[in-house]
Amino acid sequence: MAFRQALQLAACGLAGGSAAVLFSAVAVGKPRAGGDAEPRVVEPPAWAGTSRPGPGVWDPNWDRREPLSLVNLRKRNLETGEEELTSRLDHCKAKATRHIFLIRHSQYHVDASLEKDRTLTPLGREQAELTGLRLASLGLKFNKIVHSSMTRAVETTDIISKHLPGVCKVSTDLLREGAPIEPDPPVSHWKPEAVQYYEDGARIEAAFRNYIHRADAKQQEDSYEIFICHANVIRYIVCRALQFPPEGWLRLSLNNGSITHLVVRPDGRVALRALGDTGFMPPDKISRS
């Protein structure tokens, strides 16, 4: 009965949009002896804020860069009124589009016990060469390469960067591989400890917030940026950027050396132009390990 009442309240749209909150907070549980379903409260993911729209509703301020959220309306000059507000909003608006290329590292020696020894295999080095050639063939003016500090990502970056002379490289620990969030549905062959989700998840979420957002208002031209990192990180970022449930990240699959292309428009809208593209590689050069 409690669940039915919640649905009725949601349908009425109480409190200007509370329906979304009710639908996202209540889920059907196992039936009780009386026949009614026992409701259970579903905790939101760690990244979710209390004002996040319900499922399927796009949050235009997902990166906290919506102009209205950047203007202090309390300091508004009552004499100039709307003109001043419009001017301040225009000053905060993004003008350029960001093109974000997420590259998964190439194949590496997975059996090495130490991370520093998990170097690229001969095939992995070939894959990086092919990825570098593909990026260079696009004819784009890349602004920078940001890469994970892990050995396999560093080596992949070194090979790719040879094909993109003059593009600066920046290393970061934020993009290191890890367990972003417990996947749904779960898998039996890969079960990190809860503390790993807790620690890695915060770091990978920090990487998303730090690197994936609309352009700064001062940026005048479109940018083309390369991020060379890991499958788990890329899959999580894609889900977050598209506002898909991040718990579904493990449902995506990425080949080694693949290219994923995200576009972030000035108004904050996000489009996925390519996911794990390796069509530029011969079939015998494709791997997923």
Side-chain angles (χ1 to χ4, degrees):
M1 183 61 69
F3 180 64
R4 293 175 182 171
Q5 291 174 343
L7 289 179
Q8 291 172 355
L9 289 173
C12 293
L14 294 179
S18 60
V21 177
L22 286 170
F23 276 119
S24 63
V26 180
V28 179
K30 295 181 179 179
R32 294 181 295 182
D36 289 332
E38 178 69 24
R40 61 183 176 86
V41 176
V42 178
E43 294 295 333
W47 52 264
T50 55
S51 60
R52 180 174 177 264
V57 179
W58 180 259
D59 177 8
N61 195 31
W62 61 274
D63 58 353
R64 301 302 183 266
R65 292 178 181 235
E66 190 71 14
L68 267 177
S69 70
L70 300 175
V71 173
N72 189 342
L73 297 179
R74 293 183 179 180
K75 293 184 178 181
R76 179 177 166 188
N77 189 324
L78 296 179
E79 294 181 0
T80 56
E82 294 299 326
E83 292 184 7
E84 183 194 2
L85 177 59
T86 301
S87 175
R88 290 164 66 186
L89 289 175
D90 287 341
H91 181 73
C92 295
K93 285 182 180 178
K95 305 172 185 64
T97 294
R98 292 184 67 206
H99 292 264
I100 297 171
F101 294 83
L102 300 161
I103 313 298
R104 188 192 175 195
H105 61 77
S106 300
Q107 186 189 72
Y108 68 105
H109 295 284
V110 296
D111 297 330
S113 57
L114 299 177
E115 194 278 320
K116 68 180 182 65
D117 296 325
R118 294 171 185 167
T119 55
L120 298 185
T121 64
L123 173 58
R125 302 188 70 82
E126 289 185 69
Q127 291 169 340
E129 292 283 358
L130 291 167
T131 303
L133 287 169
R134 172 59 175 169
L135 290 170
S137 72
L138 297 178
L140 301 173
K141 183 181 178 181
F142 289 105
N143 301 81
K144 62 181 178 180
I145 298 175
V146 182
H147 63 87
S148 159
S149 57
M150 298 185 83
T151 301
R152 54 191 182 271
V154 173
E155 290 191 343
T156 301
T157 300
D158 289 341
I159 295 172
I160 288 177
S161 64
K162 291 189 302 181
H163 299 278
L164 303 170
V167 181
C168 67
K169 297 182 291 183
V170 180
S171 178
T172 177
D173 291 339
L174 288 180
L175 291 173
R176 292 173 73 90
E177 184 63 301
I181 190 173
E182 192 168 355
D184 184 18
V187 292
S188 58
H189 63 277
W190 186 71
K191 289 188 176 181
E193 298 293 332
V195 68
Q196 187 174 351
Y197 286 121
Y198 183 76
E199 294 175 353
D200 290 352
R203 173 178 53 77
I204 297 172
E205 171 64 18
F208 170 79
R209 297 190 185 195
N210 191 57
Y211 295 119
I212 312 300
H213 51 75
R214 73 192 78 183
D216 187 271
K218 296 178 182 179
Q219 181 177 323
Q220 298 297 319
E221 298 181 353
D222 293 354
S223 58
Y224 301 87
E225 305 157 54
I226 297 172
F227 294 83
I228 301 176
C229 50
H230 309 270
N232 294 357
V233 178
I234 295 172
R235 293 184 284 187
Y236 177 81
I237 284 176
V238 168
C239 287
R240 286 284 282 112
L242 297 177
Q243 298 188 26
F244 293 164
E247 296 86 355
W249 64 271
L250 200 52
R251 304 172 204 171
L252 308 179
S253 182
L254 299 175
N255 293 332
N256 295 116
S258 61
I259 300 174
T260 295
H261 182 186
L262 280 173
V263 178
V264 185
R265 299 293 183 189
D267 61 2
R269 296 189 182 186
V270 180
L272 180 64
R273 288 195 176 177
L275 176 66
D277 177 28
T278 49
F280 53 89
M281 292 187 185
D284 62 336
K285 302 300 181 184
I286 295 176
S287 69
R288 198 175 294 126
S289 60

